[in-house]
Amino acid sequence: MTRRSKSLPRRQRLIGLWLLLSGVSIFGGIVFALWLDGLAGLSGMARVWLWLGCLSGGGTIFLVGLLLERQLFTPLRHLQVQLARLVANPDARQDYPPEGWLKGLGPDLMRVREAWRADRERLATAHAEGALSATRVRQELETLLQVLDTPLLLCDHHRRLLLFNQAAESLFEGHPGLGLGKRLDALLPIASLEDALVELPDDGAPREILVPCDERWLHAVLRRVPHSHQETLLTLTDTTAAWSSEMGARAELVEMLPSLRRHSASLCSAADALVGVRTSSPTSELGQRLEAVIDEEGRELARQLEQMGKVMEDMHRQGERLAPLWSNDLWSSLAARHGKNGVRITPIGMPAWLKADAPALLALLDSLLPRLATHAGQDALEGEVCLGNRRVYLDLIWQGTVLGEPQLEAWRSERLDALPFAPRVADVLRQHGSDAWSLADDDGNHARLRLPLPSADRVAPPRPRTPPRPEFHDFGIAEMPPPDAELAARPLRTLDVVAFDTETTGLELRRGDTVVSIGACRIVNARLLASDVFDLRVDPERPIPPASIAIHGITDDDVAGAPPLSVALPRFRDYIGEAVILAHNAAFDLLAIQPPGGGVVFDMPVLDTLLLSRALDESLDGHDLDSLADRYDLSFPPGTRHTALGDARVTAELWLALLPRLEARGIETLEQALTLQASAFDREDAYAS
């Protein structure tokens, strides 16, 4: 059990005690003066001195208290605030220089502050070369991992994620199990993977395994990192398309082969027998029957070959190289290839999705554009995408006459040297199940070249590409205690913490008010992750009062179509995982996310920055989030105050500012922090609801 050190009495108690003593003394002096005045019957100056003497005690107490408040207690409180800020952040601003009777400490305090800064600067200089080298290696690693298309995961011997790259984030988009410090079995919860990890050799030899993930199959290659602390590297490949191909068209081809062999063998046998019969008896009935067999088998063989040809064309056309492509991206890529002095294409009409092998299609159009520019006598064309029933028509339009068939045929036979094996244009067209023809527009002034292409099952334009998250690795996780260690004994700096906040329809949660927004962020190894966040609007299934809208700005239109609380809470619980949760005035937010009948239990330890701050600085007023943000020089980015995610971020930063102050008092484990927090909770029953 952690024993809290004595702190200054609270200002309200001091003022109350001072006013009480002063009032009692003055009142007693008045009563005593009235009694003596009536007993002695004095007059003139004697009576004045009597009253002054009787009231002098109370007046002295009042004046001494006023002097102590201005010259000692107020400077002490200001000194406490400045020291708390200095411990949390040595570079924070200095708003309260020593004053009153403590004014003489000003130079000493400044000297301590400057010496602290100088020591930190010397330490930073001493580590500059090492830090630069580490930064360079880290940047090279980050660049390599981010441009690598293969999804990578690195976990420690406790199966906690130390690293993942952008490709892995895309593969597991929206999965709550992906995050630094989270367990691998939350992402891929299968026993076969666990068995494979246990049996991995230490020499880095790979092991391969197929892993189901939602509706996909992932091909995982596992390697133990040599000369490490049992870290394991996983490279993943989505093999769903390949398996579909194996089980679809390729399987159909395999099934057709025995039938083709049978018909071919029957045809050869019948032909050999027919030759023998015709030699011995040209007009025999057996010869006629053999001819019928040859004719029947030949027709069946032709039908099977035609069917196989269609299957192979479908495989060629619908292979993995044909991927969804947004037409505006195609035009942009063409413009970038030709530059300012090449053929210019102006997109017209509505953009659309199509399926294509983008490099091959770009090479094909590269070979086509100079021909069209020469034919049209102009270097400015228009591009349009038209939707058909099952196809997308890619049209290149110019002012003039149509392109003749001989010119098109010459173009189809042209080799595309920019592609592997230099295929012909006709080969690329066949790959896309396409052809090319020229036709005139209805206005009689324009003509176009049309390429029919497969359509993609998409409607909306592509989402903007999000920048890579700035944190995708933290090797310090490997030094954390094992996840099965006694949580209460875990050091505060090694905790996985989720700071959260809620916005509600009002403050009467027990009378029907409910959540309209949940925001949270994650702290791993005492580091706030910038992009690992949870931000979700919630449909309260009731109108939001104007008074609440004035605070958080969330209207009924903002939550229209949002999930209800019954759907949002399981998602939030998945995001928390095995972390400790953190909130400011946690009692309110815990009540908000655990309504009656909610069905989701949040039974993990809870840290409350309000109670911790009150326990650390009992004598200071102002423990609301705004006051503490000002005290520790924290800032709310514009527009984020009274938003769930914005308040959660500041709460997380406040926790990181309180950490060094807790450690300075010997409070280093979760158990000790919860004990300190409980003592403040017991004293302040006003915050119990």
Side-chain angles (χ1 to χ4, degrees):
M1 301 293 286
T2 300
R3 183 174 181 178
R4 295 181 58 248
S5 59
K6 296 293 184 180
S7 59
L8 290 173
R10 296 200 61 184
R11 182 169 180 265
Q12 292 87 341
R13 296 174 184 172
L14 282 173
I15 292 176
L17 181 61
W18 165 50
L19 292 177
L20 178 62
L21 290 176
S22 301
V24 170
S25 299
I26 292 174
F27 180 75
I30 292 173
V31 173
F32 188 58
L34 288 173
W35 178 72
L36 287 179
D37 190 16
L39 184 65
L42 300 177
S43 62
M45 290 301 298
R47 188 178 186 188
V48 172
W49 285 110
L50 173 65
W51 279 88
L52 287 176
C54 292
L55 296 177
S56 61
T60 300
I61 293 175
F62 180 80
L63 292 175
V64 169
L66 186 62
L67 180 65
L68 289 174
E69 170 66 18
R70 292 186 176 182
Q71 297 296 316
L72 181 60
F73 294 127
T74 296
L76 280 175
R77 279 190 294 273
H78 289 171
L79 179 63
Q80 185 178 3
V81 170
Q82 194 60 43
L83 286 175
R85 182 178 293 170
L86 186 63
V87 171
N89 181 10
D91 297 320
R93 67 184 190 273
Q94 185 175 4
D95 291 341
Y96 301 112
E99 54 192 358
W101 293 342
L102 303 182
K103 191 172 184 179
L105 296 177
D108 296 330
L109 185 61
M110 183 60 68
R111 182 67 178 270
V112 170
R113 183 187 184 99
E114 295 301 328
W116 194 345
R117 288 179 175 174
D119 289 341
R120 292 173 69 245
E121 291 176 1
R122 284 194 292 269
L123 183 62
T125 303
H127 289 282
E129 293 185 1
L132 287 175
S133 176
T135 300
R136 184 173 63 254
V137 172
R138 186 186 68 184
Q139 289 174 345
E140 292 173 354
L141 172 65
E142 290 177 356
T143 302
L144 174 64
L145 292 178
Q146 292 295 0
V147 301
L148 194 63
D149 292 333
T150 302
L152 297 178
L153 301 174
L154 182 68
C155 62
D156 67 359
H157 64 291
H158 295 304
R159 312 290 186 260
R160 294 177 298 210
L161 290 180
L162 308 179
L163 173 151
F164 57 89
N165 65 346
Q166 188 73 21
E169 188 174 21
S170 300
L171 179 65
F172 295 104
E173 183 178 6
H175 199 296
L178 183 66
L180 294 180
K182 292 189 175 182
R183 297 292 300 274
L184 182 64
D185 51 13
L187 191 64
L188 300 170
I190 61 167
S192 58
L193 178 61
E194 180 69 23
D195 295 339
L197 288 171
V198 172
E199 297 174 359
L200 275 180
D202 294 331
D203 59 359
R207 292 291 185 271
E208 300 183 23
I209 185 174
L210 277 175
V211 180
C213 180
D214 297 330
E215 298 179 355
R216 299 173 296 180
W217 281 93
L218 304 180
H219 176 253
V221 179
L222 289 67
R223 290 182 176 87
R224 188 83 73 205
V225 179
H227 312 296
S228 69
H229 299 290
Q230 297 292 302
E231 282 90 3
T232 303
L233 178 67
L234 292 84
T235 56
L236 304 170
T237 306
D238 189 349
T239 62
T240 307
W243 273 80
S244 298
S245 178
E246 291 286 349
M247 301 303 292
R250 295 183 185 180
E252 187 176 350
L253 284 176
V254 172
E255 292 178 358
M256 292 173 65
L257 282 176
S259 178
L260 288 173
R261 292 192 181 104
R262 185 174 62 253
H263 289 302
S264 177
S266 299
L267 189 61
C268 291
S269 299
D272 292 340
L274 179 62
V275 171
V277 170
R278 287 299 187 189
T279 303
S280 60
S281 179
T283 60
S284 68
E285 182 180 353
L286 178 58
Q288 295 176 355
R289 288 201 300 269
L290 289 174
E291 288 179 353
V293 169
I294 291 174
D295 180 66
E296 180 181 353
E297 293 294 336
R299 291 178 182 275
E300 183 63 25
L301 185 61
R303 188 186 67 80
Q304 292 278 358
L305 288 174
E306 182 179 1
Q307 183 179 355
M308 186 171 69
K310 290 181 179 180
V311 172
M312 293 184 68
E313 286 181 1
D314 290 341
M315 289 177 60
H316 191 63
R317 183 172 62 252
Q318 300 175 2
E320 295 179 6
R321 296 184 62 85
L322 298 189
L325 177 64
W326 184 240
S327 61
N328 281 353
D329 293 339
L330 177 65
W331 302 132
S332 299
S333 299
L334 275 176
R337 280 171 172 251
H338 285 265
K340 296 182 179 179
N341 300 322
V343 181
R344 299 189 306 275
I345 297 181
T346 302
I348 63 174
M350 295 293 293
W353 287 97
L354 51 95
K355 289 186 72 173
D357 180 353
L361 184 60
L362 285 171
L364 181 147
L365 293 175
D366 274 344
S367 71
L368 173 63
L369 290 180
R371 288 178 176 270
L372 292 182
T374 301
H375 171 78
Q378 56 192 27
D379 59 0
L381 307 175
E382 293 179 342
E384 184 178 15
V385 176
C386 304
L387 297 178
N389 290 333
R390 296 184 179 179
R391 311 286 283 174
V392 173
Y393 297 105
L394 186 69
D395 292 350
L396 297 172
I397 308 168
W398 63 92
Q399 188 172 3
T401 60
V402 298
L403 195 65
E405 184 60 31
Q407 294 171 289
L408 284 175
E409 190 59 36
W411 173 62
R412 291 189 188 98
S413 61
E414 182 178 324
R415 292 281 180 180
L416 300 176
D417 295 328
L419 296 178
F421 308 111
R424 297 176 303 159
V425 169
D427 297 329
V428 176
L429 290 174
R430 190 179 304 109
Q431 176 194 8
H432 290 80
S434 180
D435 199 353
W437 63 86
S438 185
L439 65 157
D441 280 5
D442 294 336
D443 61 5
N445 295 324
H446 292 82
R448 64 181 64 204
L449 182 72
R450 171 161 289 181
L451 299 175
L453 296 169
S455 62
D457 298 330
R458 295 191 184 182
V459 179
R463 293 182 297 177
R465 182 176 176 85
T466 56
R469 62 170 72 207
E471 305 94 357
F472 61 92
H473 65 81
D474 187 349
F475 298 111
I477 294 173
E479 307 300 326
M480 294 168 58
D484 55 352
E486 185 67 30
L487 186 59
R490 287 274 295 272
L492 295 176
R493 287 188 176 272
T494 67
L495 291 176
D496 184 4
V497 178
V498 168
F500 84 101
D501 185 68
T502 61
E503 300 297 335
T504 61
T505 58
L507 301 178
E508 300 292 335
L509 296 177
R510 292 189 174 93
R511 298 182 180 178
D513 282 323
T514 185
V515 175
V516 297
S517 177
I518 303 176
C521 54
R522 190 176 298 275
I523 299 171
V524 176
N525 262 357
R527 185 165 66 112
L528 176 59
L529 304 184
S531 300
D532 193 343
V533 299
F534 182 92
D535 190 14
L536 185 64
R537 296 281 175 86
V538 180
D539 185 359
E541 300 179 307
R542 54 167 292 183
I544 304 176
S548 298
I549 296 175
I551 296 175
H552 50 59
I554 300 176
T555 64
D556 292 330
D557 292 338
D558 294 330
V559 297
L565 191 59
S566 59
V567 175
L569 288 180
R571 294 185 189 175
F572 182 46
R573 183 64 184 85
D574 289 339
Y575 174 78
I576 294 174
E578 300 177 359
V580 174
I581 57 178
L582 172 77
H584 191 78
N585 193 11
F588 178 85
D589 295 297
L590 287 174
L591 185 61
I593 63 174
Q594 297 185 101
V600 180
V601 179
F602 296 85
D603 54 357
M604 64 288 295
V606 180
L607 292 167
D608 189 337
T609 50
L610 184 147
L611 296 177
L612 289 171
S613 174
R614 188 171 290 279
L616 287 172
D617 299 313
E618 181 184 0
S619 61
L620 296 181
D621 298 326
H623 296 279
D624 57 280
L625 196 56
D626 288 305
S627 299
L628 292 176
D630 180 71
R631 182 175 302 164
Y632 290 98
D633 203 18
L634 309 176
S635 60
F636 294 90
T640 62
R641 183 65 176 109
H642 291 302
T643 65
L645 182 57
D647 288 357
R649 284 188 184 277
V650 174
T651 301
E653 293 176 358
L654 176 58
W655 163 252
L656 296 177
L658 292 174
L659 263 180
R661 299 197 61 208
L662 291 169
E663 291 170 342
R665 288 156 176 77
I667 301 168
E668 298 180 346
T669 66
L670 177 60
E671 181 181 18
Q672 293 170 328
L674 292 176
T675 301
L676 176 69
Q677 175 177 292
S679 66
F681 185 84
D682 292 339
R683 289 194 309 272
E684 299 298 328
D685 56 357
Y687 289 91
S689 61

